[in-house]
Amino acid sequence: MGAHPSPRSPGAGGTPTGVPTAGDPGSGPAGGQSQDGLQAGLKNRHLSMIAIGGVIGAGLFVGSGAGISAAGPGILLSYALTGLLVVLVMRMLGEMAAASPASGSFSAYADRALGRWAGFTIGWLYWFFWSVVLAVEATAAGAILTGWVPAVPQWAWALLVMIVLTGTNLVSVGSFGEFEFWFAGIKVVAIVVFIVVGALAIFGLPPGDHAAGMSNLTGHGGFLPHGPGAILSGMLLVVFSFMGSEIVTLAAGESPNPVQAVRKAVNSVIWRIALFYIGSIAVIVTLLPWNDRAVAKSPYVAVLQSLDIPYAGTVMDVVVLTAVLSCLNSGLYTASRMAFSLGQRGDAPKSFATVNKGGVPAVAIWASVAFGFIATIFSYTSKDTIFQFLLNSSGAVALFVWLVICFSQLRMRRTMERETPERLTVRMWLYPWLTYATIGLIVFVVGYMFYDPDGREQMVLSVVAAVVVLAVGLVLDRRRPRERAADESAAKVAERA
């Protein structure tokens, strides 16, 4: 059941419009298939777990140690501010996605609201980000598995997990959803158990020997041992671990009831961030001194070992491996759906917008995997040069995505209020003032990255990558009217003949 690229939305050519048409991909599936040809094979439980688990990445388990070292207990404020930013951005995205679920999500909305150049640029940058993530996660999975089975080289494990998860994505969207359901389920259970065990220990109940109290939050230099500025430094370290919250808005288009799925995901994002991020980090900095070397290395393992939990290291290795595989699985899905959407809109090869008999965009998946394989090779052969460049040049994409979501929502909201107010089933709070405030906060974080020595290189290279993609998009956009005119002339000649 091959599909052809659908016509562009009314926003083609840079004409801003937020009014979804009857032919929009997200208008709703009919007979188990959405109008863009993708199979509506994701069940409600799949989407619920994708929404819950999407905010729990391997970076939370491993990378949070660097943030704690940088800001001390004040990292809680860094997570709270970043979490607030994500909640506001997700509310804006949810407003647009509930009105018109689309496989390209914010890229498709940017196309309609801001112009083709915006959809093209942010779509390809997002695809680039997740394709690089494939290499990062495959390499991390290989390292863990090699630790268990040293006889198998790390590159072989990385190759194996890439092949297995590529296969699950190619079979059907349902198989992706099933794998992600169990991967996310393990992460959620692990975090909940960790928080419960840690809370018991804080109050002196088993497995703790005595009540830890709040002394670690105020001792060892105070709550902000490095000063208030460390809160911003902490934000730079944790902001990218929240990337993935938006995946559910891409996946919603392949579910029986996309509007309901988006609404539930948006309404639950507050408690998800509060519980999984702020809750678990609060347990860590309360139970252990923030400047403990073990906390910097692996904070979750450090807590479990301090409570004499047997096989703490092995348990966390299993959880981290699950988080890595989940991120790899969802990253491949996300990159392929963005490539599919770009193909639909004429911003990528037309073959990207075709689907196989199972309603899966196989060409888009293979293209994403191919780039991921190349990046994985560089992670072994040129780790400190080419691969580091790929990491840094994709590092600030999250901030660019959030900015584009804000500006798109500003324009689409005005149009929808005027033309299709019945589609506004999810509304951004205090519009437009809270949207403006969110834009200001994101711009402030971007500016601070330029100021901060540790974030400057990443931001500069990310801006360079964005400028290059934008330039390509503008050049292609200028060529399209000429190509369209040539096609029309050829058609008229053919009619006369």
Side-chain angles (χ1 to χ4, degrees):
M1 122 184 24
H4 300 286
S6 63
R8 289 181 53 77
S9 65
T15 304
T17 175
V19 183
T21 65
D24 272 341
S27 297
Q33 181 174 314
S34 61
Q35 294 192 14
D36 56 12
L38 295 175
Q39 195 70 27
L42 291 177
K43 301 176 182 177
N44 288 333
R45 64 182 179 87
H46 293 154
L47 282 172
S48 296
M49 198 57 75
I50 289 171
I52 295 172
V55 297
I56 308 173
L60 173 62
F61 297 107
V62 181
S64 53
I68 294 172
S69 297
I75 193 66
L76 288 171
L77 297 179
S78 302
Y79 273 104
L81 283 173
T82 309
L84 174 62
L85 190 60
V86 173
V87 167
L88 295 175
V89 171
M90 279 296 294
R91 187 73 185 183
M92 288 181 252
L93 181 57
E95 178 182 288
M96 296 182 288
S100 177
S103 58
S105 187
F106 51 84
S107 174
Y109 308 140
D111 191 299
R112 300 171 192 167
L114 306 177
R116 191 164 189 170
W117 62 270
F120 177 95
T121 303
I122 205 64
W124 277 112
L125 285 175
Y126 192 70
W127 177 87
F128 173 55
F129 172 86
W130 281 109
S131 296
V132 173
V133 166
L134 297 183
V136 174
E137 304 300 342
T139 304
I144 295 173
L145 291 168
T146 300
W148 295 346
V149 187
V152 180
Q154 184 176 337
W155 66 264
W157 281 120
L159 178 64
L160 179 61
V161 296
M162 285 276 278
I163 290 173
V164 170
L165 293 178
T166 299
T168 63
N169 274 265
L170 284 170
V171 171
S172 69
V173 70
S175 64
F176 153 75
E178 200 63 35
F179 269 75
E180 195 57 28
F181 175 82
W182 292 106
F183 285 152
I186 293 172
K187 291 189 295 183
V188 169
V189 169
I191 287 287
V192 171
V193 170
F194 178 85
I195 292 174
V196 170
V197 170
L200 291 174
I202 290 172
F203 294 105
L205 301 172
D209 295 328
H210 61 277
M214 303 292 131
S215 60
N216 284 324
L217 293 177
T218 55
H220 314 285
F223 187 74
L224 294 172
H226 300 309
I231 297 174
L232 292 174
S233 299
M235 284 185 69
L236 300 187
L237 292 171
V238 307
V239 67
F240 307 110
S241 64
F242 284 91
M243 196 71 160
S245 304
E246 71 291 333
I247 291 176
V248 70
T249 65
L250 282 86
E254 295 179 73
S255 69
N257 194 335
V259 175
Q260 181 184 9
V262 167
R263 191 183 298 122
K264 286 177 62 178
V266 170
N267 290 337
S268 65
V269 70
I270 297 176
W271 71 260
R272 286 186 278 132
I273 289 175
L275 176 65
F276 299 130
Y277 276 91
I278 300 175
S280 63
I281 297 299
V283 166
I284 294 170
V285 295
T286 303
L287 282 178
L288 296 177
W290 67 269
N291 53 0
D292 190 314
R293 289 184 178 181
V295 171
K297 182 179 179 182
S298 184
Y300 289 83
V301 172
V303 167
L304 295 179
Q305 288 179 337
S306 72
L307 299 177
D308 296 324
I309 303 295
Y311 307 107
T314 303
V315 169
M316 284 312 303
D317 274 348
V318 172
V319 174
V320 171
L321 177 62
T322 302
V324 164
L325 294 177
S326 172
C327 193
L328 180 58
N329 189 42
S330 58
L332 179 53
Y333 171 84
T334 305
S336 65
R337 273 18 177 217
M338 185 57 72
F340 173 81
S341 177
L342 289 166
Q344 272 196 314
R345 290 176 274 144
D347 290 334
K350 291 182 179 180
S351 58
F352 283 18
T354 59
V355 297
N356 61 18
K357 292 181 179 179
V360 171
V363 176
I365 290 175
W366 281 118
S368 304
V369 169
F371 189 92
F373 269 125
I374 294 171
T376 304
I377 293 171
F378 285 139
S379 73
Y380 291 105
T381 62
S382 310
K383 183 177 181 179
D384 298 325
T385 52
I386 298 176
F387 188 64
Q388 191 63 39
F389 170 79
L390 292 175
L391 286 177
N392 285 332
S393 58
S394 64
V397 167
L399 294 172
F400 299 160
V401 167
W402 295 347
L403 266 180
V404 166
I405 290 172
C406 292
F407 284 112
S408 299
Q409 187 264 344
L410 273 177
R411 300 201 71 178
M412 285 186 69
R413 173 67 173 266
R414 285 195 290 265
T415 306
M416 285 191 288
E417 282 183 332
R418 184 175 65 250
E419 300 178 12
T420 55
E422 70 279 1
R423 286 182 177 265
L424 286 169
T425 57
V426 174
R427 291 174 180 263
M428 176 59 181
W429 306 297
L430 298 177
Y431 169 84
W433 309 114
L434 207 47
T435 301
Y436 287 132
T438 306
I439 291 173
L441 182 56
I442 297 172
V443 171
F444 179 77
V445 173
V446 169
Y448 190 80
M449 283 193 72
F450 279 111
Y451 169 78
D452 185 76
D454 296 328
R456 188 177 301 133
E457 181 183 5
Q458 191 175 74
M459 180 54 71
V460 168
L461 289 177
S462 295
V463 168
V464 169
V467 169
V468 170
V469 176
L470 173 60
V472 172
L474 291 174
V475 169
L476 292 176
D477 212 25
R478 285 189 174 187
R479 289 177 55 186
R480 284 180 184 116
R482 293 197 296 269
E483 293 172 356
R484 195 178 302 118
D487 291 342
E488 290 173 357
S489 298
K492 290 179 181 177
V493 171
E495 285 178 5
R496 293 193 191 112

